[in-house]
Amino acid sequence: MSNAAALPGQPRGAVLSGPATARAVNVLAPNASPMTLDGTNTWIVAEPDSDLAVVIDPGPLDDTHLRAVIDVAERAGRRIALTLLTHGHPDHAEGAARFAELTRTKVRALDPALRLGDEGLTAGDVITTGGLELRVVPTPGHTADSLSFHLPADRAVLTGDTILGRGTTVVAHPDGRLGDYLDSLRRLRSLTVDDGVHTVLPGHGPVLDDAQGAVEFYLAHRAHRLAQVETAVEAGHRTASAVVAQVYADVDRSLWPAAELSVLAQLEYLGEHGLI
């Protein structure tokens, strides 16, 4: 058995539905897979003394899950007043329209195509529903529309797929861009250094209690992978599939298609910086 405290980010262990911080409660969606890990974490966020709650990433279009999220909030004496999206991938956002119908809430997102209502989300926005303070942090890279949400009162950040509770994130070409992703990781590192953030509430996987350690691990991992890809190209592996076979040989082959998209993003980055 591994020691969670010795793993990157200090994961708490099993992914469970329930309270994660004083203001954040997880409801785990039943959509586990190699790409979604244990399933999508749907987050209910509220001030402890408030009867209003915000939901982040309703998850897949699964009525049982969506109604479970509502039930958890109502059993805590809260009404869901707003829905937010970290990004538009179906495992996070497919259920948003149905959830909005069930809760009669607006859906706010960076991508206008995902919004229900007049308001979107932009860098620097602060959500204040029910006295909550939830700051919008732009974290593109995994997707162009990826956002994170800083929860200062809990010294936490909700990262969607930008940082996972286990493993690392795919930066899938062409929507994902590695340069943007590295900038986003540095932005999150600044939250840990300058704003005292220590907890990561991810879109998949367990809660991380060492946010700075997680970010540093991600940055080191990306640097290592880039060096491996650069070496593979120099050795004559010119296509993304050939690079994957060389660099990701130790990765489950079911994940190679995703790895190939990630390699395309890495090759683009290396080319833009004149490294290949």
Side-chain angles (χ1 to χ4, degrees):
M1 182 177 294
S2 61
N3 178 7
L7 296 174
Q10 295 182 17
R12 291 188 185 176
V15 183
L16 301 172
S17 293
T21 67
R23 291 165 179 80
V25 175
N26 181 34
V27 183
L28 181 63
N31 62 334
S33 74
M35 291 301 293
T36 60
L37 305 181
D38 309 85
T40 300
N41 295 329
T42 294
W43 292 102
I44 303 172
V45 187
E47 280 298 301
D49 59 352
S50 176
D51 61 356
L52 299 179
V54 174
V55 164
I56 297 171
D57 290 350
L61 183 53
D62 181 312
D63 242 46
T64 300
H65 171 64
L66 300 178
R67 291 180 185 278
V69 175
I70 297 168
D71 183 57
V72 169
E74 289 182 345
R75 280 192 278 112
R78 296 192 173 103
R79 177 177 64 84
I80 295 167
L82 180 63
T83 302
L84 306 176
L85 299 177
T86 61
H87 65 296
H89 280 169
D91 54 313
H92 294 258
E94 186 183 37
R98 173 59 175 156
F99 190 70
E101 179 184 348
L102 291 171
T103 58
R104 299 183 180 181
T105 59
K106 296 179 180 179
V107 176
R108 295 180 63 182
L110 179 62
D111 184 349
L114 299 171
R115 301 172 189 168
L116 291 174
D118 298 330
E119 290 185 284
L121 291 170
T122 59
D125 283 351
V126 180
I127 308 302
T128 57
T129 302
L132 193 68
E133 183 182 355
L134 199 61
R135 301 175 185 172
V136 178
V137 181
T139 47
H142 171 67
T143 62
D145 69 329
S146 286
L147 299 171
S148 295
F149 298 97
H150 177 201
L151 184 57
D154 285 349
R155 298 173 64 191
V157 61
L158 298 104
T159 53
D161 283 354
T162 299
I163 293 180
L164 304 177
R166 185 172 68 250
T168 55
T169 297
V170 173
V171 178
H173 180 83
D175 187 38
R177 293 182 57 84
L178 185 56
D180 291 343
Y181 185 67
L182 294 173
D183 288 342
S184 293
L185 290 177
R186 296 183 189 107
R187 192 170 295 119
L188 291 173
R189 181 171 58 185
S190 294
L191 287 181
T192 71
V193 173
D194 300 330
D195 296 277
V197 166
H198 63 67
T199 302
V200 173
L201 306 175
H204 304 279
V207 172
L208 301 176
D209 286 320
D210 177 15
Q212 186 171 354
V215 175
E216 296 293 358
F217 169 76
Y218 266 59
L219 286 166
H221 170 77
R222 286 295 165 187
H224 179 63
R225 281 297 193 209
L226 272 172
Q228 288 180 309
V229 170
E230 187 175 1
T231 299
V233 171
E234 290 172 351
H237 302 284
R238 299 295 179 181
T239 66
S241 59
V243 171
V244 167
Q246 177 71 18
V247 173
Y248 292 80
D250 59 339
V251 173
D252 188 324
R253 282 179 175 258
S254 69
L255 299 176
W256 278 21
E260 189 167 328
L261 295 176
S262 186
V263 165
L264 286 169
Q266 292 174 80
L267 291 172
E268 179 183 60
Y269 177 87
L270 291 168
E272 288 173 348
H273 289 78
L275 299 174
I276 57 171

